[in-house]
Each structure stands twice: as structure tokens, then as C-alpha cells.
Amino acid sequence: MTDRKSGKCRCGQVQFEVASVPLITMVCHCTGCQRMTGSAFALSALYMSDEFRVTSGDPVIGGLHGATRHYFCPHCMSWVFTRPAGMDELVNVRATLMDDARGFIPLLESYTDEMLPWAKTPAVHSFRKFPPPEQFPALLAEFAERLAS
């Protein structure tokens, strides 16, 4: 992966770019992600907020409208990115909206207790819910090692 990537919503009104490689890539199988994507899971790439910027358009908050803010294109309603509650330094981008999403292979999958039984991924780590916070440093280090090799 190169350091700078761009992406856009389905209609192209909301465009964005990231100026680094992701910290980690992951799949969420929770029913909320299934409903917001209209698919079996959400594929995302986590970045530092200062490495992400919207370059066109004005995303609006959708989803649950809670402490975790899900941003959508106001025209086509594509779910573009999420700012997790209490972690303003991070942004979780829908990797499938990148101009070339083929390289975003998930290292981990979460909420496997809610996954559709046929929804298989190549994720190396699986968690019934979300990974425990104490495991994230090792997961981030493993992802970085895999990117470097």
C-alpha cells in the first residue's frame, strides 16, 4: 500500500483522502453494521484523525446519532467513516469506499456471535464481541509487521 489513498461515496459528492497506511484493517459482523451497509459486514481501516481529511462534500451524521458518530453522504447516503466515542484521535474509514479497496484485507473480525453463518473472511483473529483494549497494542503491531513484509 502506498501512503496516500483517496476514496469517495457512491455518488462522488463526498470525497476523502488518507495520508498514511492504516493502523489496522478489520471487519465488523454486528447487526448494526449489517444494517448500515446493507451487507453481511462492514470492512474498515483505522487511521489517525490527522491523517484523514474530507476533500469534497459535507458528510452528515447518521446511524444511531450517539457518542460514536457515523458520517454519511447527504445525497447517496453511503456510510463513509466513523469517529469512535472517546477516541477523537482516530477515524474508522469504510475501506470499500477507497478508490482501490483490493489491498484492505482484514486482520481481525469482531462480533462473530452476530455474523451470518455464510459470511467468511480471511481475518486472522476473530472475536465474539469487540477485541479487549489490552489486546490492541499487539494487534496493531502484528498489522504493522504484516504491512512491512
Side-chain angles (χ1 to χ4, degrees), residues 6 11 16 22-23 41 44 61 66 93 105 125 142 148:
S6 59
C11 73
F16 60 90
L23 299 170
F41 51 77
S44 62
I61 294 177
V93 178
I105 300 165
H125 302 282
E142 180 180 343

Side-chain angles (χ1 to χ4, degrees), residues 59-108:
V60 296
I61 294 177
L64 294 177
H65 296 259
T68 292
R69 295 149 341 261
H70 304 290
Y71 289 86
F72 292 76
C73 169
H75 184 74
C76 69
M77 301 308 290
S78 295
W79 179 19
V80 182
F81 63 96
T82 299
R83 295 208 180 267
M87 295 184 268
D88 289 339
E89 70 279 3
L90 300 172
V91 62
N92 203 18
V93 178
R94 303 285 71 76
T96 49
L97 297 183
M98 296 293 197
D99 291 338
D100 183 0
R102 291 176 291 180
F104 291 89
I105 300 165
L107 177 70
L108 71 89

Side-chain angles (χ1 to χ4, degrees), residues 19-144:
S20 68
V21 296
L23 299 170
I24 197 165
T25 53
M26 53 201 151
V27 162
C28 183
H29 292 281
C30 80
T31 55
C33 284
Q34 290 174 26
R35 289 179 178 143
M36 286 202 305
T37 61
S39 186
F41 51 77
L43 173 64
S44 62
L46 187 67
Y47 294 91
M48 297 301 295
S49 287
D50 61 356
E51 297 293 330
F52 169 83
R53 72 183 183 103
V54 173
T55 58
S56 178
D58 192 19
V60 296
I61 294 177
L64 294 177
H65 296 259
T68 292
R69 295 149 341 261
H70 304 290
Y71 289 86
F72 292 76
C73 169
H75 184 74
C76 69
M77 301 308 290
S78 295
W79 179 19
V80 182
F81 63 96
T82 299
R83 295 208 180 267
M87 295 184 268
D88 289 339
E89 70 279 3
L90 300 172
V91 62
N92 203 18
V93 178
R94 303 285 71 76
T96 49
L97 297 183
M98 296 293 197
D99 291 338
D100 183 0
R102 291 176 291 180
F104 291 89
I105 300 165
L107 177 70
L108 71 89
E109 58 186 351
S110 61
Y111 284 86
T112 58
D113 63 339
E114 297 179 26
M115 74 187 288
L116 298 173
W118 51 263
K120 306 298 181 207
T121 76
V124 177
H125 302 282
S126 295
F127 298 89
R128 289 185 50 76
K129 295 293 183 192
F130 201 71
E134 63 272 9
Q135 288 188 16
F136 256 91
L139 291 167
L140 294 174
E142 180 180 343
F143 185 79

